[in-house]
Amino acid sequence: MNRILLASAFLLVSISAVFADETPSAVPAAVGSAPKAPAPKLVEPHLYIARSNIAGHARIALTFDACMGQADERILSTLVRERIPATIFVTARWLKRNPAALAVFVQNPDLFELENHGENHIPAVDTPMLIYGIASAGSPQAVRQEVEGGAAAMVAAGIPAPHWFRGSTAKYDLSAIGEIRAMGYRIAGYSVNGDGGSLLGAVITEKRIASAKDGDVVISHINQPTHAAGEGVAKALVDLKAKGTQFVRLEDVEDTGDDKTTE
């Protein structure tokens, strides 16, 4: 009798174990929930301009983002005083807060090319996600609004309609790149990150910008007057000019961008 009872108990335990092993594959962990879509591939495009190929006279395109905040007079005054041309990417938010700086840009059309940095400084990514803690546009419609809203603010401020766009964080997903290109914009990447989002110190910022070579596109910021990086930017500009650097705006020269941003 004891043997029969033991055998029955063993059989019950074995059957229970089989069902326990099969249950996870037979029943979804969250009944009715859809599989989570994979995060989109983000790219940070590079951009280069045609080289001068003249020894001692490297050709460099300086680009500055004016995201939010105030104008950095250390950089702006250096550009004007030294007659150094640059391409400035402005947001609608920055334009509202900086009429005096805008007037300087407009009064020096030989120096400054103004281009589109968006309406509210939102990353041009059409899937919801955080990039450096900033919420992306999240949909194709929101990407379009960010681009069109920025352009509309520029035209309303008396600036010629832009031809280039650079989104917040300079990161995009490939579908958003296609959408922006279909709107008629070239997308401005870069090849030298001058100031690390304006978060670097003056010395390292100066070294980074001074390292630019023939054909490079430099990105820095002109909207953080309290950050040490601006001091390094201003000094690097003077040093590069003294070396015989040829500064150009994006509209003045041929360019090549990867990830289908300019082709």
Side-chain angles (χ1 to χ4, degrees):
M1 177 65 72
N2 288 337
R3 291 182 179 179
I4 295 174
L5 290 173
L6 287 172
S8 299
F10 179 79
L11 180 61
L12 288 172
V13 170
S14 300
I15 293 173
S16 298
V18 169
F19 276 106
D21 288 341
E22 291 180 350
T23 298
S25 61
V27 180
V31 178
S33 63
K36 186 176 180 180
K41 175 187 177 182
L42 296 185
V43 297
E44 194 166 351
H46 295 95
L47 180 67
Y48 295 91
I49 57 171
R51 299 176 179 176
S52 70
N53 292 318
I54 302 174
H57 296 280
R59 179 184 292 155
I60 295 171
L62 297 172
T63 68
F64 293 93
D65 288 359
C67 313
M68 294 169 281
Q70 302 296 327
D72 191 332
E73 290 295 336
R74 296 169 298 181
I75 300 173
L76 181 54
S77 62
T78 299
L79 292 170
V80 174
R81 182 182 68 251
E82 300 294 333
R83 307 310 294 170
I84 296 175
T87 303
I88 315 294
F89 287 85
V90 297
T91 66
R93 296 173 68 175
W94 188 88
L95 288 174
K96 291 178 182 178
R97 297 187 61 179
N98 294 275
L102 173 60
V104 174
F105 290 147
V106 173
Q107 291 164 7
N108 291 274
D110 58 321
L111 293 182
F112 300 115
E113 170 191 0
L114 299 181
E115 296 293 350
N116 188 358
H117 196 33
E119 181 176 24
N120 290 306
H121 200 246
I122 296 173
V125 173
D126 58 20
T127 299
M129 64 189 309
L130 291 178
I131 306 171
Y132 301 135
I134 304 174
S136 67
S139 70
Q141 296 78 12
V143 169
R144 176 174 288 275
Q145 178 58 43
E146 175 70 1
V147 177
E148 291 183 341
M154 293 177 69
V155 172
I159 303 169
H163 302 288
W164 286 87
F165 176 79
R166 175 182 285 156
S168 167
T169 74
K171 290 183 180 290
Y172 315 82
D173 55 347
L174 298 179
S175 55
I177 287 176
E179 293 155 12
I180 297 166
R181 292 289 291 127
M183 296 171 66
Y185 287 89
R186 303 171 78 77
I187 297 175
Y190 61 89
S191 58
V192 175
N193 186 336
D195 63 359
S198 83
L199 299 177
L200 298 178
V203 174
I204 189 170
T205 295
E206 180 186 350
K207 288 181 178 179
R208 283 195 177 196
I209 297 177
S211 72
K213 297 178 175 58
D214 196 14
D216 272 333
V217 175
V218 179
I219 181 175
S220 297
H221 291 75
I222 197 169
N223 66 301
Q224 295 290 355
T226 64
H227 290 194
E231 177 186 343
V233 172
K235 192 173 188 308
L237 300 183
V238 175
D239 292 345
L240 284 173
K241 182 181 178 182
K243 293 179 181 178
T245 301
Q246 176 189 355
F247 298 102
V248 296
R249 302 170 299 184
L250 293 181
E251 66 181 355
D252 297 329
V253 66
E254 294 183 356
D255 55 77
T256 303
D258 56 15
D259 296 306
K260 299 183 179 180
T261 50
T262 62
E263 66 181 39

